[in-house]
Amino acid sequence: MIPPRTRKGMMLPPALLDLLPLGVVLCDADGELVHASPRALALLDVADAATVMSALQAGDFESAAQVPLRVTRHELGDPHQTLYLIEDRSAEVSAANLRDDAWRVMSHDLRSPLGAILTLTESVADGTLPPDPQTLQQVGHYAELALARADGVLRLLRADALRSEQFEAVSLQQIAWEASDACYAAARDRAISVRVDADAAGDDALVGGDVDALRRALTHLLENAILHGPAGQSVALTVADCDTHWRIAVHDSGHGPDATALSVLTGAQRIGRPRGLGLAFVRRVADRHGARIHCARGADGFTVGLELPKWAAEHAQA
């Protein structure tokens, strides 16, 4: 372990940094190493201070031990320091996160609506509540909630089971229109118009993938924009040519997901307890399809898109 440098005014105690589940490297204003946690040394596959900075780079890369890593850089205040967070992106860690998500929903999120149903039915049985339409409506509400959460777990597990050798050619124009149709009622209820701009990509916006998984992922992104963006506005769903990739994107005039939801969507280190499995499903589908998730927040709203490799001609011939 690298001993922490004594520095007046240091804002982040090394003992606290060493407790984090991800690797942490802290540098001063001159770019010199202040502290590196044991987890950081293990992930970077280095043993001393002389090699930490040379092995560190922002973005996605592989360590010397060929472990896929993601490093995010954060500028701190006074005194000026730079914090690097290092995340293990290996398949084993991703699978562990998936199991944690599924277990969380099965052990906690499902218990709440099922417990409410049990309480309502017992209250009707002992005469505390009348068996009227309002009580039945409450039971139905919680039953639908439980089914939706169970369905979320099954979708996530199915996404994890996707294999590229089983992929077929998928038309992004087709799933764009199908996602728009699936969200028609939600858009109508909030007076939101959904504009689909997929014709400019031509008739050959084909990618290799699982059509059902991609459709569900896009539908979830579109539904999020409709339900959480400003009412009475418009949402754009576009397909564009990006050289070796096709990009299918959703744009709305809102502020987009909060930091917790965005950390799930981008695959970054989790910030807080995620709510629901929809964005985790989108992230998993993107990973299985070799897709990049592009997020941008600007003055005109928020855009989220999937960039998927184009379906190669040799695939069609095969």
Side-chain angles (χ1 to χ4, degrees), residues 33-113:
L33 182 68
V34 174
H35 180 71
S37 68
R39 180 61 174 160
L41 299 182
L43 289 174
L44 293 171
D45 195 31
V46 298
D48 55 72
T51 53
V52 167
M53 298 310 297
S54 62
L56 189 66
Q57 54 182 299
D60 296 341
F61 67 99
E62 286 191 348
S63 69
Q66 296 185 325
V67 176
L69 303 176
R70 170 168 293 171
V71 176
T72 55
R73 174 175 173 163
H74 307 271
E75 300 296 334
L76 305 180
D78 184 25
H80 180 78
Q81 295 175 321
T82 302
L83 182 71
Y84 294 90
L85 301 180
I86 309 169
E87 179 188 2
D88 188 335
R89 300 285 292 160
S90 62
E92 293 79 8
V93 173
S94 297
N97 289 336
L98 173 69
R99 288 193 297 271
D100 289 345
D101 285 336
W103 175 252
R104 171 180 56 80
V105 173
M106 296 300 291
S107 63
H108 181 273
D109 291 6
L110 273 178
R111 290 175 64 90
S112 178

Side-chain angles (χ1 to χ4, degrees), residues 38 41 55 60 72 81 100 110 114 135 151 153 170 182 196 203 207 209 230 246 250 255 278 280 301 312 315:
L41 299 182
D60 296 341
T72 55
Q81 295 175 321
D100 289 345
L110 273 178
L114 291 177
T135 302
D151 187 54
V153 174
V170 177
V196 179
D203 298 327
V207 299
W246 290 108
V250 177
H255 298 292
H315 291 155

Side-chain angles (χ1 to χ4, degrees), residues 55-256:
L56 189 66
Q57 54 182 299
D60 296 341
F61 67 99
E62 286 191 348
S63 69
Q66 296 185 325
V67 176
L69 303 176
R70 170 168 293 171
V71 176
T72 55
R73 174 175 173 163
H74 307 271
E75 300 296 334
L76 305 180
D78 184 25
H80 180 78
Q81 295 175 321
T82 302
L83 182 71
Y84 294 90
L85 301 180
I86 309 169
E87 179 188 2
D88 188 335
R89 300 285 292 160
S90 62
E92 293 79 8
V93 173
S94 297
N97 289 336
L98 173 69
R99 288 193 297 271
D100 289 345
D101 285 336
W103 175 252
R104 171 180 56 80
V105 173
M106 296 300 291
S107 63
H108 181 273
D109 291 6
L110 273 178
R111 290 175 64 90
S112 178
L114 291 177
I117 292 173
L118 182 60
T119 299
L120 287 169
T121 54
E122 289 178 346
S123 297
V124 170
D126 63 19
T128 306
L129 286 177
D132 58 16
Q134 183 177 358
T135 302
L136 294 176
Q137 186 178 16
Q138 287 182 291
V139 171
H141 166 74
Y142 287 115
E144 290 178 357
L145 186 59
L147 287 173
R149 291 177 176 176
D151 187 54
V153 174
L154 294 176
R155 289 184 184 181
L156 193 62
L157 295 175
R158 182 177 182 276
D160 191 54
L162 294 174
R163 297 293 179 266
S164 59
E165 58 269 19
Q166 300 174 343
F167 287 172
E168 299 177 343
V170 177
S171 167
L172 291 187
Q173 287 102 329
Q174 176 185 342
I175 67 170
W177 284 108
E178 290 176 352
S180 176
D181 291 343
C183 295
Y184 171 77
R188 179 197 58 198
D189 292 344
R190 304 202 70 226
I192 289 177
S193 62
V194 177
R195 176 172 56 85
V196 179
D197 183 8
D199 296 335
D203 298 327
D204 56 350
L206 299 179
V207 299
D210 181 281
V211 63
D212 182 63
L214 288 173
R215 183 196 305 114
R216 288 183 181 274
L218 181 62
T219 299
H220 184 79
L221 293 177
L222 181 59
E223 189 174 54
N224 266 8
I226 292 171
L227 295 180
H228 302 297
Q233 303 293 314
S234 64
V235 174
L237 181 55
T238 60
V239 178
D241 191 340
C242 299
D243 193 16
T244 59
H245 292 69
W246 290 108
R247 177 188 292 177
I248 187 163
V250 177
H251 175 82
D252 68 85
S253 55
H255 298 292

Side-chain angles (χ1 to χ4, degrees), residues 254-274:
H255 298 292
D258 60 21
T260 299
L262 199 59
S263 70
V264 176
L265 183 60
T266 60
Q269 180 66 26
R270 294 292 176 84
I271 304 173
R273 180 180 180 273

Side-chain angles (χ1 to χ4, degrees), residues 275-313:
R275 300 172 298 279
L277 294 178
L279 293 180
F281 170 77
V282 174
R283 176 74 251 178
R284 201 60 179 164
V285 169
D287 288 343
R288 287 305 189 190
H289 286 79
R292 296 190 296 265
I293 294 184
H294 169 78
C295 298
R297 182 179 282 116
D300 63 339
F302 182 78
T303 302
V304 56
L306 298 177
E307 294 184 0
L308 298 111
K310 290 183 176 179
W311 181 252

